[in-house]
Structures are given as C-alpha cells and as structure tokens.
Amino acid sequence: MDTICIIVAFNGRWTADYKYLDHQTKLVLVPEAIRFEDFINQVFEVIELDRDKFEAMIWFDINLGTSKGILVSKDLDLHTCIELLKNHSLFKGCRFIVDILKRVFDSTSTFEHVNTETQQDNQDKCQQIMEIDVVEAQPITEEMLQTFDSIQVEGQSIIEIDNEQALGIQVLESAPVIEGVAEKTFTQLTRQSSNSKQKESPTTILRENASLDEIKVGSIFDKKKSIINCFSNIAIKGHFDFKVVRSSSIRYSLKCNDDRCGWCVRGFRIKDSTLFKIVKIEKNHDCSVNTMKADQRHTISKLISGYIIDNLRDPRFEVTLAFVMAEMQKLHGLDIGYHKAWRAIQHASALIRGTPEENYELLSSYLYMMKSKNPGTYTNIKIDDNNRFLYMFYAYGSSIVGWNHCRPVIAVDATFLKHQSIAHGIAKVYLESHHRICIYHLEQNLKRRKVKSEVIKLFQSAARVYRRKEFDLYMSDIAKVDKKTFDYLMEEPPERWARSCSPRQRYDMLTTNIVESMNSVLLEAMRLPILRMMDFIQVKLQRWFYERRNEAEGTFYDVSCWVEEELKKKIDLAFTLNVFPVDSWRSRVEEEGITFLVDLNKRACDCFQFQFDELPCIHAIAAIEKRNIKKSNFCSDWYLKESWLKTYERQIHPEGHTDSWIVPESVKSQVIKPPDFKVSPGRRQKKRHIPATESSKITFKCGRCRRIGHNRTSCIYSPAVHPFSRKHRE
C-alpha cells in the first residue's frame, strides 16, 4: 500500500491574520487510502492524548491569510488533501493543524482549548537529532549527505521538530538509528563550530523576489530556479558578479567572482521534493570596488522580462525597446543593449500570451469551448497535409442571430482575394446577392491613372446621386472632359458602383469604411498570438453587445439613435418647403421651383432618396408633418428600436481559463501546427503602406516661428533669417 509523509502541527496559537505560531510539529507516515477515523486515532496517538477526554478539529493549512484553511471532517476531505499534497507542487509544504479541545461535560456542552505540557519532554527525546540543524554556517560534507541518503523509511516513523522546521528534516527509521546518526553528525559539526553557532529561523517558503535580509540558513525556496533568479536579482542590486561553483539537480553553490571575497551561498534539494534549502550563506562582500560593473553577465533577457512583465499586461501601455533600456538604467543602473531588450520583451510576451506553438495546439479546444459557451456558434478551420494552419472562419451565435435584424449588406475588405476572386466567390456562395464595388477604391484606381481632380469630383457626384437622370448628366460631362476615363469606368457596369443604377437597396453604404474601422480596432490585436487575438475580439464584441443593448433599452425613441439624428438633420430644410396635398397619401412638394411627388403609402418620392435609403427624405418629412403623423412610422423596420434590441439581445460568453475546460479527447487530439512561413529580416512593419494616391497627413512645423506649413529653411516670419532660406537669398 502506498504511503505519504505528512506534517502535523499542534499546541500552537492562531493570530489575527490566521497564522499558526508557537506550535509543536511532528511528521507522520500514513497510508494514502487511510480512513478519517483511523487518521484521528493516529493523530491522538502521536500527540499522546486520550481521545475520550479531548476533542480535535483538523485544518489543512493552505496559507490563505483569510481563514484557518480547509476543515477536514470526513474521508473525502482527507483524501482530497492527500491528493493535493501528492500531485500538486503548490501544496507540497502544506500541513495539517490540530486544534485540541477539552471535553467539558456540563449543561452548555462547550469546549475549551487546552495546551498540553508534553512539548518539553518530547523535545528532550530528540535533542540529539535537533543538533543537526543547530549549526547553520558550517559546510556539510559529502559523507554526511551519503549517510542521510542511505537511511530507508520503514513503517510509521515520527520525529518531533521545533516550530516549522519540518521541511528541512528527513523521516528516519527508529530511535536507535536517530541517535546513531545524530551522534555521528553532531561530532563532525561541533569540531568546526566550536567558536560560533547560529540557530535557524522558522522555515518559510521564499520566492525569487526575496531580499537578502530574508535569506538565512534554513531558508527554503520553492524550486531551484527561484534561487537562481533571487541571487541574480541580488547581484544586480549590489552591482557584483558571482560564479557558479556547482549546479546539479540536488545542489547549487555560488561564490563571489573575486576569489579573495568570502561571499558564498550553498543550497541542497530536500529529498523527494522540489524544495531547496539554504545550508550556508555568507552575506558580507569584502571585494574591491573595481569589480563592480554596470553591465553584468547575470542580467539575461529572461531576468529582465520579470521587470517589464507587468507593463506588458497593461493594454494601454506600449512597451518599447527604448523604454526597457531606460527603465533598467533608471531603476537598477544597468546598461543593456538593444537586442537584449528586444529578447526580454519577446520572452515576457511569451510568458503572458504563450508561444505560437502553444496557441495553435489549443486552437481546436478553444473553438470547442467557444461553441459550448455560445450556442449557435459556427467555426471552420482549414489545414494542409502536414496539419499546418491555413485559414479559419468563425462567427458567434449571438452575431448570427443578430444579423437577421440588420440591413442585408456585407462589406469585404483587407483580404488577400483579388476583385475577380471576390466576384467568383459571391456568385458561387451568395446566389441571390448583388456584388457592388467600393467607390473609394475605384476612386483610388482613377488617381493611379493620373486622372484630373475635376474628373474625380464628377465621378464622386455620379456615384452618389439618387436619380438616374442626374447620373447620365455627370457621366456625359466626364466623357467630354476625359474619354479614356469614361471608357474605363464603363468597363464595370454602373449597377455595381452607382447608387442610382443599383437594382437593390444599397442604403448609405457606398464604401467599405465600416471594415476599415474594424481594421483600426484590431490593429494592436493583429500582432498577438492567435488565441490572444481571439480573446481580444471576444472582449471587444462582448463590450459592444453589452453597451449597445443597454443603450437600446434606455432610449425612449421609436427608432435607433442614429436614425433620430439623421431625421433631425433634415427637419430644418423640410419645414421650409411648400406642401400641397393631392389625396390622403400623396402630396406635391416644391423645392426651389422643382416639384416632387411624394406617396407615403408606397414610401416613394421623385427624388428616389426615400426608396433607396428607406428613410423619409426632406420632401417626405414635409408631407408627413402636414398630416401630423409620426415620422418614425415611415422608417424601415431595420431602423426601429425593436430591431435594435433584437440585434444585441443575446450575450457573448467568454471561454474561461484553460484549467476549467472540459474537452473530449477526440478534440484534444486534433493538434494544429503553426503556419509554415519565414520571418523576413529587419523590424516588422506595424502600419500599412500609404499609397501615392492617398493624400499625405504629415504636417510640417517650423522650428523657428512654430507655425505649421513650412520648415526652418523656408521660414519668412522669423526675424533671425536662416542662411539658406529664400528670404536670405533674395
């Protein structure tokens, strides 16, 4: 039967912050499958108390700081705690605390705490073995280590130790063996420690951020890496270098780089654990100031990443190479190079966000959890023959349901597909849809062809007008000025780019600006690993759905806020028009001598804006106002408050932490590899290339007069003329 060694603490006191101090500690070897009742009996046997006279409450101390810990009262509690001790490194040093209560048989049936007086007697029994840890600053020889390692644990063995030093002592076999080992070891140690002896402080688990004052003989680190990082940090702050004398899986020894200096550290791994115990430390440096440097070899990129990792976690803060170099110089007086700062940022990013390999490995499980948390979600991944990622599509169920209440227009941009590929895909997948062209990109094509600005303005007017007659007039003007441009525009059917010729409602969406806005939102996320980028999108959509749902619920308008603002813009001009009713639905509206016929029943106007936008135009608003009818009654259902609410009525739920995922093995086995691509040398581009057809947004500011639009050499406003300026030459 498998056994486990546990730590039992008793006869102590609880502090206000739930720390258990001034206690007595024993090590107990118990079977892993022990029953709680047998465990209680064994505990009372160990602490030498009569169970008929005393009561005990057992706590599993996990250092919460807010309570005594986990109350152990049945078999399930005990087995759970044993499992944590056995398989989880974070609970390796945890202990069972026994609150001893004396039974008082009176009318109130209450209990009271009683401290037994067996502590001194038990300490006397093991006084010899305790002398092993009394001397802390003297070296432990190889023979001593072999003596301890050769001792085998058989049956149940108990060693009583002072306070919280249980982590530093091995469980020995029996009293004769204890006495023999103690006598042998004590003799060796006392020969070297006749002049000075130091007693260890109570054991606490130290991390890599521990200061030099906290470290003493007997101090315990949670792992070897913590010791390495801890003394590297101490060396950085003290501006000295050390060298590793010996490093293995069971020991770690350091000494100062200057052989004449006495600074040294020695630590050993505690048997059957990952804990490392300091057995020797000399803190004082007596080396020369000439050995202190600003550039230390222990300042590796992985260590620097620990200083900047909190800054990287803040999405509002951009960690640059200059910031890392300046921060290390300012806080620690370290002069690090460009490449070391870059590697530190990459390492810290990998710690927070994971490596590309780790992200793609979890991609299938991530999408599975996305679909389980958000019903109706659609996902699809394409991989090559080597299981390498090609591309992926996914849509949240909330977005799919909300799409049914949105205007039926899809904008496609920022894709590797060319124009013909997009047209082919639309014709194959969306059989009933109509493919249109973004007039902004068509305008950029005209600029690349060096078309005159006058012609470009005519094109913009032709694409945006609502009436076909006006479109024909603008196109005839283009043909008169530039016949080649006219022929180029007519190569694409006007139904694809002109609003007046469109067979379907295009509303006000003549460009793909909505997608460009989304690209701007995702600009920072595009540089993240794939799972972190998807987390960013999920958080962004979750916030948008929440805010817009609250906004829709809080408005008292019959239509959306955007539609309300659009109608308000038309009100002033609409109220200046003359309206002449024809019948109960139709009216004749005059604007600057032009007559428009408005039919409210058909929701139509001779200006065609009412039909294309499905919103009342100024003529329709004037006719509606004449009849004292609500203007929102003549807006399309897409713009009503009910549609707005239904669009965002569902929520987007996060996938949760990976530890909480419940994923079938069939999904876990779908391991996806990162795409096979070669990273080009040099700094990666963060911003898109601005084509020559776009106007430059760079503004020049004079360094002399501080005005915008010119530089120092062309400045004519400063009294002190620049020697190379035009004013000086004139």
Side-chain angles (χ1 to χ4, degrees):
M1 181 180 296
D2 294 333
T3 58
I4 185 171
C5 184
I6 63 174
I7 304 170
V8 176
F10 59 99
N11 284 353
R13 60 181 177 85
W14 290 100
T15 62
D17 54 349
Y18 296 102
K19 291 183 179 179
Y20 195 65
L21 304 178
D22 302 331
H23 58 80
Q24 190 175 354
T25 307
K26 288 191 177 183
L27 297 180
V28 183
L29 194 66
V30 299
E32 292 182 3
I34 188 172
R35 294 171 56 249
F36 178 73
E37 188 67 19
D38 297 337
F39 178 75
I40 288 287
N41 294 332
Q42 196 163 338
V43 167
F44 271 92
E45 185 178 338
V46 167
I47 62 180
E48 301 178 359
L49 290 177
D50 187 357
R51 192 177 178 186
D52 295 333
K53 298 180 180 180
F54 296 92
E55 187 76 14
M57 295 182 66
I58 298 181
W59 305 88
F60 185 63
D61 182 20
I62 55 176
N63 299 322
L64 289 175
T66 57
S67 66
K68 294 183 178 181
I70 300 174
L71 178 63
V72 182
S73 59
K74 54 181 180 294
D75 291 348
L76 180 61
D77 299 339
L78 179 61
H79 294 161
T80 302
C81 296
I82 292 177
E83 187 69 19
L84 292 175
L85 284 171
K86 180 181 176 183
N87 297 323
H88 296 271
S89 59
L90 293 176
F91 300 95
K92 289 289 186 183
C94 294
R95 58 193 176 175
F96 288 86
I97 297 177
V98 182
D99 272 349
I100 303 172
L101 309 168
K102 185 176 181 180
R103 297 181 184 271
V104 179
F105 302 96
D106 55 11
S107 58
T108 58
S109 299
T110 58
F111 300 101
E112 61 177 292
H113 283 273
V114 177
N115 291 326
T116 62
E117 299 179 357
T118 60
Q119 182 174 2
Q120 186 62 40
D121 296 335
N122 291 331
Q123 287 180 349
D124 293 338
K125 294 178 184 178
C126 295
Q127 184 63 36
Q128 288 180 316
I129 190 62
M130 291 309 302
E131 290 293 333
I132 296 175
D133 281 336
V134 169
V135 183
E136 66 175 9
Q138 303 303 324
I140 296 178
T141 63
E142 193 74 26
E143 182 182 358
M144 294 162 53
L145 292 172
Q146 293 176 358
T147 302
F148 276 101
D149 292 343
S150 63
I151 299 174
Q152 302 296 325
V153 177
E154 296 182 2
Q156 178 180 332
S157 303
I158 303 171
I159 301 176
E160 181 181 1
I161 56 179
D162 184 40
N163 292 339
E164 298 180 24
Q165 298 177 5
L167 295 174
I169 300 178
Q170 301 295 326
V171 179
L172 303 184
E173 180 180 352
S174 60
V177 176
I178 293 174
E179 294 176 0
V181 174
E183 182 178 359
K184 178 180 179 182
T185 309
F186 179 77
T187 303
Q188 295 177 358
L189 292 176
T190 51
R191 290 173 184 173
Q192 305 175 19
S193 59
S194 58
N195 296 329
S196 62
K197 290 187 178 182
Q198 300 175 355
K199 186 175 181 180
E200 293 182 359
S201 300
T203 302
T204 56
I205 303 298
L206 300 180
R207 307 291 180 182
E208 58 186 38
N209 58 352
S211 65
L212 187 60
D213 295 335
E214 297 179 78
I215 305 174
K216 303 176 178 63
V217 171
S219 297
I220 292 179
F221 287 83
D222 57 343
K223 52 189 174 182
K224 181 182 176 182
K225 184 179 178 182
S226 297
I227 292 187
I228 297 173
N229 291 341
C230 177
F231 284 100
S232 296
N233 290 328
I234 292 173
I236 290 173
K237 295 176 182 178
H239 301 289
F240 68 90
D241 269 340
F242 62 80
K243 55 186 176 183
V244 179
V245 178
R246 185 162 186 180
S247 177
S248 66
S249 60
I250 61 173
R251 64 195 67 184
Y252 187 64
S253 301
L254 309 173
K255 67 175 297 186
C256 182
N257 229 17
D258 190 347
D259 294 333
R260 295 168 295 183
C261 179
W263 185 92
C264 63
V265 179
R266 185 178 298 159
F268 287 90
R269 179 173 63 83
I270 298 176
K271 191 175 182 181
D272 298 330
S273 72
T274 61
L275 304 177
F276 264 74
K277 181 178 179 179
I278 301 297
V279 297
K280 179 180 179 181
I281 182 170
E282 180 60 48
K283 301 181 181 181
N284 297 327
H285 268 283
D286 51 10
C287 49
S288 173
V289 71
N290 295 327
T291 61
M292 297 184 178
K293 303 186 248 184
D295 183 16
Q296 299 172 329
R297 61 177 179 169
H298 301 295
T299 314
I300 59 177
S301 57
K302 290 184 179 180
L303 191 65
I304 298 173
S305 65
Y307 293 106
I308 63 174
I309 195 168
D310 290 334
N311 299 107
L312 280 171
R313 286 194 176 100
D314 189 354
R316 301 166 297 178
F317 190 83
E318 182 180 4
V319 178
T320 62
L321 297 175
F323 168 79
V324 175
M325 293 188 288
E327 195 74 1
M328 296 304 294
Q329 178 73 38
K330 177 182 177 181
L331 297 180
H332 307 287
L334 294 175
D335 184 15
I336 64 173
Y338 178 93
H339 295 287
K340 184 178 287 188
W342 183 85
R343 289 193 299 271
I345 293 176
Q346 298 304 311
H347 183 72
S349 299
L351 290 177
I352 297 174
R353 302 156 184 161
T355 62
E357 290 76 13
E358 294 171 347
N359 276 258
Y360 281 99
E361 184 178 351
L362 293 173
L363 182 57
S364 298
S365 300
Y366 185 95
L367 294 179
Y368 176 86
M369 292 303 302
M370 178 191 294
K371 290 191 288 187
S372 64
K373 297 285 186 178
N374 299 273
T377 300
Y378 176 82
T379 64
N380 195 358
I381 308 177
K382 292 297 181 183
I383 57 177
D384 61 11
D385 297 334
N386 297 322
N387 288 337
R388 292 198 175 274
F389 180 86
L390 292 177
Y391 55 88
M392 174 184 66
F393 173 84
Y394 72 96
Y396 283 98
S398 303
S399 299
I400 296 174
V401 173
W403 165 251
N404 296 323
H405 307 284
C406 297
R407 292 178 296 180
V409 179
I410 299 177
V412 180
D413 190 40
T415 176
F416 61 90
L417 297 174
K418 302 301 180 183
H419 174 65
Q420 295 300 328
S421 301
I422 296 175
H424 176 71
I426 291 175
K428 185 176 180 180
V429 179
Y430 301 99
L431 302 179
E432 299 180 359
S433 64
H434 181 69
H435 178 212
R436 292 134 185 179
I437 299 174
C438 172
I439 64 172
Y440 172 81
H441 290 89
L442 188 55
E443 178 185 330
Q444 299 305 307
N445 293 344
L446 296 180
K447 291 182 178 180
R448 293 188 187 96
R449 296 170 64 90
K450 309 298 182 184
V451 176
K452 298 178 181 178
S453 60
E454 178 186 356
V455 178
I456 292 178
K457 291 179 181 179
L458 290 172
F459 158 74
Q460 292 175 343
S461 300
R464 295 178 182 276
V465 293
Y466 288 90
R467 294 193 294 175
R468 184 62 180 264
K469 184 182 295 185
E470 294 181 5
F471 168 79
D472 294 336
L473 291 174
Y474 283 120
M475 291 303 295
S476 62
D477 291 341
I478 294 176
K480 293 176 183 178
V481 178
D482 191 342
K483 186 64 168 61
K484 289 184 179 180
T485 301
F486 175 82
D487 295 336
Y488 171 76
L489 291 174
M490 296 306 291
E491 288 178 4
E492 287 291 343
E495 292 81 5
R496 288 193 168 183
W497 54 272
R499 174 156 49 188
S500 58
C501 302
S502 177
R504 304 275 183 87
Q505 277 84 359
R506 194 169 180 173
Y507 304 98
D508 60 334
M509 300 180 66
L510 301 179
T511 65
T512 57
N513 287 348
I514 186 173
V515 184
E516 295 289 357
S517 300
M518 196 67 186
N519 292 339
S520 178
V521 170
L522 300 178
L523 184 62
E524 293 296 327
M526 289 178 182
R527 297 198 295 268
L528 300 176
I530 185 168
L531 293 188
R532 303 291 77 80
M533 180 180 69
M534 295 173 70
D535 284 341
F536 181 90
I537 295 173
Q538 180 266 321
V539 171
K540 187 67 68 174
L541 289 177
Q542 181 181 354
R543 182 167 65 87
W544 284 348
F545 268 69
Y546 174 78
E547 291 177 352
R548 290 178 171 119
R549 183 169 57 251
N550 284 354
E551 186 180 3
E553 291 173 350
T555 184
F556 56 87
Y557 301 139
D558 296 329
V559 293
S560 66
C561 294
W562 175 81
V563 175
E564 188 75 17
E565 293 299 322
E566 290 296 314
L567 293 178
K568 286 180 180 179
K569 294 177 184 177
K570 303 176 182 178
I571 287 291
D572 292 340
L573 182 57
F575 287 176
T576 63
L577 304 181
N578 296 321
V579 181
F580 304 96
V582 176
D583 54 25
S584 58
W585 289 107
R586 291 185 297 174
S587 300
R588 181 168 57 86
V589 182
E590 291 185 354
E591 180 191 7
E592 297 180 354
I594 303 175
T595 301
F596 297 90
L597 183 62
V598 178
D599 190 337
L600 297 179
N601 188 32
K602 296 181 179 179
R603 299 189 180 185
C605 178
D606 288 348
C607 70
F608 289 95
Q609 185 176 355
F610 200 179
Q611 295 92 306
F612 280 108
D613 291 346
E614 295 188 356
L615 281 176
C617 59
I618 57 174
H619 315 108
I621 292 176
I624 294 170
E625 183 65 23
K626 192 72 174 178
R627 290 171 172 78
N628 294 324
I629 309 175
K630 293 175 66 174
K631 303 171 187 64
S632 58
N633 293 344
F634 298 92
C635 297
S636 173
D637 292 341
W638 308 119
Y639 304 118
L640 298 181
K641 178 181 177 180
E642 289 75 13
S643 298
W644 194 16
L645 283 169
K646 290 179 181 179
T647 302
Y648 300 104
E649 67 179 349
R650 295 183 58 175
Q651 301 83 29
I652 292 182
H653 302 281
E655 292 73 26
H657 194 269
T658 53
D659 294 342
S660 63
W661 290 0
I662 302 177
V663 183
E665 289 297 330
S666 57
V667 178
K668 290 183 180 179
S669 60
Q670 299 174 8
V671 179
I672 300 175
K673 300 178 181 179
D676 189 12
F677 67 95
K678 184 178 180 181
V679 179
S680 57
R683 181 180 296 180
R684 297 184 182 180
Q685 179 185 343
K686 295 184 178 180
K687 298 181 180 180
R688 71 182 184 94
H689 289 293
I690 300 178
T693 55
E694 293 189 20
S695 58
S696 175
K697 296 182 180 179
I698 300 176
T699 57
F700 295 95
K701 185 176 182 180
C702 179
R704 301 173 70 85
C705 69
R706 302 299 177 184
R707 299 188 183 185
I708 296 174
H710 62 277
N711 54 21
R712 294 171 64 93
T713 58
S714 59
C715 180
I716 61 174
Y717 301 101
S718 176
V721 182
H722 195 276
F724 299 106
S725 66
R726 289 195 302 269
K727 183 177 179 181
H728 179 80
R729 291 197 297 268
E730 293 173 356

